[in-house]
Amino acid sequence: MSQSRPARITPARLAFNEHGVPFSAEFDDAYHSPDGGIGQAEHVFLGGNGLPARWRGRDAFTIVETGFGQGLSFLVTWAAWRADPAACARLHFVSVERHPFVRDDLAVLLARYPQYAAQVAELLAHWPAPTPGFHRLWLDGGRVSLTLLFGDVLDVLPQLDACADAIYLDGFSPSKNPELWTPAVFKQLWRLCRADTTLATYTAAGAVRRALNEAGFAVAKAKGYGSKWQMLCGGMARAPRRPVAAPIARHALVIGAGLAGCAVAERLAARGWRIDIVDAAAEPATGSSGNLAGLMHAYVSQDDNLLARLSRAGNAATLALLQDLADSGLNVPHGIEGVLQVARNAEQEALQQCMAEDGTDPDVSFLKPDQAQQRLGVRPARGGWWFARGAWINPPGYCRALLARHGDAVRFRGNAPVVRLDCVDGQWQAFGGDGTLLGTAPTVILCNASAARALAQCVDLPLWSVLRVASRIPASSVGLTAAGIAGAGYLTGAAGGERIIGAAPFEGDLAAAEIENRRALVALLPGQTLPDDAVLGSRICQRPTSPDRLPLVGELALPWHDDYPRCHQLAQVPRQSGLYGALGLGARGLSWSALIGEMLACRLNGEPAPVESALLNAVDPARFLLRALRRGEPYRVQTGGSDDE
């Protein structure tokens, strides 16, 4: 996917034909057979792919669909999986949709199927905004993942990193929507397959059958559903070459128990992994993750760049995980009360207003100062973006809930600084300063960005830390009724009777940084005054970051040496097998930690990735090394910089 902004998503319009079947005026076609959508899905997609028999005896099963529509095929599949006592432990369903329905219209459509009422309610509760890209929904207690790919099929399918067990070739008829039935689409689907992948579709068009066979599938006509006499189903004529993954023991050692480490531990434990997590401090979340409250809101750019897309996906992942924790009885102190990002100057204010009115992001609106005062109870210096789903979160409470969610599957050990890593016979060993063995596992995930560079395996990582100061003030000092305000400084919602302001650079003088934090707040809210004794205390926080301000997530590359091979792709870069990083989150730990944990868990379990390949590549720890290797130059690590937004 290019760096240019993807096409804006145009939602489908709710309409019905003369038979009462949901109908698309744009494609002049119905969403399912007049003989019944449920029966069609059961006969064509379940029957045509040999389900439910084929998912039995497996740990997980992945289905890729072209054309989510009203979601009926997904609901039918989900229901069949739930009803099967021998079903696989996890079901992954990936579906492309160029014109998704908005939540209210989808509710109208699916209300016609009362037999799926509970599933529909859960789906609607998680339904995303119509923004381009990937949307990961966890359903059924985390046993079912629905990954929605919103966009043109040839924009999103090439970005999908997955291995399909079955394909539902759906969508409007080839004569009405030819773009979905091209050889290029079939080639992309073939890329996602393995030797035993199956495929089924309601159409029996000769052109479709020939194109599928040419793409590498082996399909033939079969009995159709209802008044449609024939359909196509089959499997693989030839399979893509895929590296055979060696069996992996589901045991990991996570080093660092801040936001990143705790989220990684939880996401892996949710898949049945056993996790040992160690930290130099006595308790989790005592470093930069130890603040009373932090703000979380999306990042918006005119070109919807990598940072914006990763931020949008990360915010959604964190909000979903907060809800999952609450459903598990683990209530994290937080408030989803909206965040206002105040423009820093008149030029930025005009740009923010223009982008909001243009519908750049449907979850973002623009508030003028008077409108902001009515909503927030305080008047900002300028107008700004209003993020209705912006939140404040208590990071220590969040980390504790993440570690507690899966009981004994996650074991924490404090006062355990790791100073050396060795790999012996495929097992990584972590040692303390006195030579004590702190942990051993086949997989190690480094989440201790502030200390990771001291390890021999990490000397090449382009990480540095910028020191910032977060100050506590009484909540009553400011009559804010939202989760927070951000801009040149920030103010959080009230947590435990206090708010956090910040975050001034720390240059050796804590008192000076506290004064700067008070000045920044007054600049955001000119009508506010804070007395000299308003600051109750402050914390100095490290913000480890990378040269491009994106995190380092994935398997670590071998350190550079003079005889390093010339590489042109990330897949060619030699890696340190079993050693991964989730590092450099900077000021976006709340936004990115849950998503990073999901990315690594999917990678280690061979599951569909939750984000586009472009984003996976953008955070790959080897990306800076690769640039030097492509040029045939020695790799020089950048060792300093800024975390400025």
Side-chain angles (χ1 to χ4, degrees):
M1 187 180 292
S2 68
Q3 293 275 339
S4 61
R5 182 173 181 83
R8 187 176 303 158
I9 299 299
T10 302
R13 289 177 292 174
L14 182 62
F16 300 89
N17 65 15
E18 66 275 15
H19 303 293
V21 175
F23 183 82
S24 170
E26 179 173 357
F27 293 101
D28 189 29
D29 201 3
Y31 277 89
H32 61 72
S33 166
D35 299 304
I38 294 176
Q40 180 183 22
E42 290 175 338
H43 178 86
V44 174
F45 298 118
L46 293 182
N49 282 286
L51 302 174
R54 288 188 57 242
W55 59 42
R56 292 172 181 159
R58 301 197 187 199
D59 180 65
F61 194 86
T62 298
I63 297 168
V64 174
E65 175 188 54
T66 57
F68 186 79
Q70 60 179 330
L72 200 51
S73 296
F74 168 66
L75 290 173
V76 168
T77 304
W78 184 9
W81 176 85
R82 285 175 57 92
D84 185 1
C88 53
R90 287 180 298 280
L91 176 67
H92 302 292
F93 199 101
V94 182
S95 189
V96 176
E97 182 54 59
R98 183 170 132 192
H99 298 293
F101 286 100
V102 297
R103 181 184 287 107
D104 290 347
D105 288 348
L106 190 63
V108 171
L109 288 168
L110 297 182
R112 296 148 57 92
Y113 305 101
Q115 62 269 54
Y116 302 135
Q119 294 165 250
V120 168
E122 189 174 355
L123 175 63
L124 293 174
H126 291 80
W127 192 249
T131 54
F134 288 25
H135 303 266
R136 168 64 54 87
L137 285 61
W138 280 107
L139 307 166
D140 212 316
R143 299 185 302 156
V144 174
S145 74
L146 171 61
T147 308
L148 296 164
L149 281 51
F150 287 171
D152 289 341
V153 65
L154 285 178
D155 284 339
V156 295
L157 265 188
Q159 292 293 311
L160 177 59
D161 182 359
C163 189
D165 296 299
I167 292 174
Y168 292 3
L169 195 53
D170 205 349
F172 298 113
S173 70
S175 62
K176 304 288 187 179
N177 185 21
E179 294 178 2
L180 203 60
W181 305 89
T182 64
V185 171
F186 299 156
K187 277 291 186 183
Q188 284 299 324
L189 291 171
W190 177 84
R191 177 185 63 84
L192 303 172
C193 295
R194 61 171 119 231
D196 61 349
T197 303
T198 59
L199 178 146
T201 178
Y202 66 85
T203 186
V208 171
R209 177 171 53 84
R210 290 188 293 272
L212 283 169
N213 289 337
E214 290 171 4
F217 295 95
V219 297
K221 294 179 181 179
K223 183 181 182 301
Y225 173 71
S227 59
K228 195 167 183 60
W229 287 8
Q230 295 178 320
M231 56 177 271
L232 296 175
C233 60
M236 305 299 296
R238 60 184 187 278
R241 293 182 180 178
R242 286 182 172 273
V244 178
I248 184 170
R250 296 190 173 190
H251 175 211
L253 174 65
V254 176
I255 301 175
L259 285 166
C262 292
V264 166
E266 190 282 330
R267 289 288 75 205
L268 283 170
R271 273 100 168 160
W273 281 57
R274 179 166 55 92
I275 305 297
D276 293 307
I277 181 168
V278 300
D279 196 277
E283 300 292 336
T286 55
S288 296
S289 302
N291 287 334
L292 177 69
L295 285 184
M296 185 185 77
H297 64 85
Y299 176 86
V300 181
S301 70
Q302 285 183 289
D303 60 351
D304 202 33
N305 61 22
L306 295 168
L307 179 60
R309 288 149 58 190
L310 195 70
S311 167
R312 187 165 63 233
N315 277 261
T318 299
L319 292 174
L321 190 50
L322 284 171
Q323 183 59 56
D324 289 345
L325 291 170
D327 293 343
S328 301
L330 297 165
N331 292 309
V332 177
H334 73 285
I336 307 172
E337 301 157 351
V339 170
L340 181 73
Q341 182 180 339
V342 180
R344 301 192 182 203
N345 51 50
E347 182 181 7
Q348 187 183 47
E349 184 178 29
L351 178 62
Q352 286 184 342
Q353 183 170 4
C354 179
M355 291 174 63
E357 291 174 350
D358 188 47
T360 298
D361 188 324
D363 280 343
V364 181
S365 57
F366 180 83
L367 297 182
K368 297 178 180 179
D370 288 344
Q371 295 171 317
Q373 184 173 13
Q374 293 175 4
R375 188 178 295 244
L376 280 66
V378 293
R379 184 181 179 86
R382 296 180 182 83
W385 275 325
W386 173 248
F387 300 91
R389 298 280 288 168
W392 70 264
I393 302 171
N394 173 249
Y398 183 39
C399 288
R400 288 192 294 269
L402 291 170
L403 295 184
R405 187 180 184 193
H406 302 288
D408 294 340
V410 179
R411 300 181 300 182
F412 172 77
R413 178 176 180 175
N415 296 315
V418 175
V419 301
R420 190 177 97 240
L421 284 176
D422 292 335
C423 189
V424 180
D425 297 329
Q427 292 285 316
W428 285 95
Q429 300 172 337
F431 295 92
D434 59 358
T436 301
L437 180 63
L438 301 175
T440 181
T443 300
V444 167
I445 304 171
L446 300 176
C447 303
N448 58 337
S450 298
R453 280 287 304 279
L455 299 172
Q457 292 82 1
C458 302
V459 294
D460 280 355
L461 293 182
L463 286 170
W464 58 76
S465 289
V466 178
L467 297 180
R468 295 277 179 167
V469 174
S471 302
R472 296 164 26 238
I473 64 172
S476 58
S477 299
V478 182
L480 178 69
T481 59
I485 296 178
Y490 70 83
L491 169 72
T492 73
E498 297 177 356
R499 303 182 191 273
I500 301 295
I501 59 174
F506 178 70
E507 299 174 348
D509 188 337
L510 186 61
E514 291 177 343
I515 292 172
E516 182 57 33
N517 281 340
R518 296 203 312 272
R519 288 175 177 169
L521 178 62
V522 173
L524 282 175
L525 304 172
Q528 298 294 319
T529 57
L530 285 180
D532 293 342
D533 60 355
V535 174
L536 304 175
S538 297
R539 298 182 76 252
I540 301 170
C541 304
Q542 291 186 324
R543 287 183 173 177
T545 189
S546 73
D548 59 10
R549 295 188 296 151
L550 294 174
L552 308 179
V553 185
E555 199 167 26
L556 300 188
L558 285 174
W560 186 85
H561 53 81
D562 288 339
D563 297 324
Y564 216 92
R566 187 79 175 264
C567 301
H568 298 278
Q569 299 177 3
L570 285 167
Q572 298 172 326
V573 177
R575 306 288 174 148
Q576 302 183 70
S577 179
L579 183 60
Y580 294 79
L583 305 162
L585 278 64
R588 301 184 186 277
L590 290 170
S591 290
W592 285 344
S593 54
L595 179 64
I596 283 171
E598 183 72 5
M599 290 163 65
L600 284 174
C602 291
R603 165 70 177 82
L604 288 165
N605 282 277
E607 299 173 1
V611 296
E612 303 94 314
S613 293
L615 293 182
L616 297 176
N617 294 340
V619 300
D620 192 301
R623 63 188 185 272
F624 300 102
L625 172 61
L626 179 65
R627 293 167 194 170
L629 296 176
R630 283 174 170 170
R631 296 190 298 264
E633 299 174 355
Y635 177 58
R636 294 181 175 86
V637 182
Q638 297 184 43
T639 58
S642 168
D643 69 339
D644 289 342
E645 297 296 330

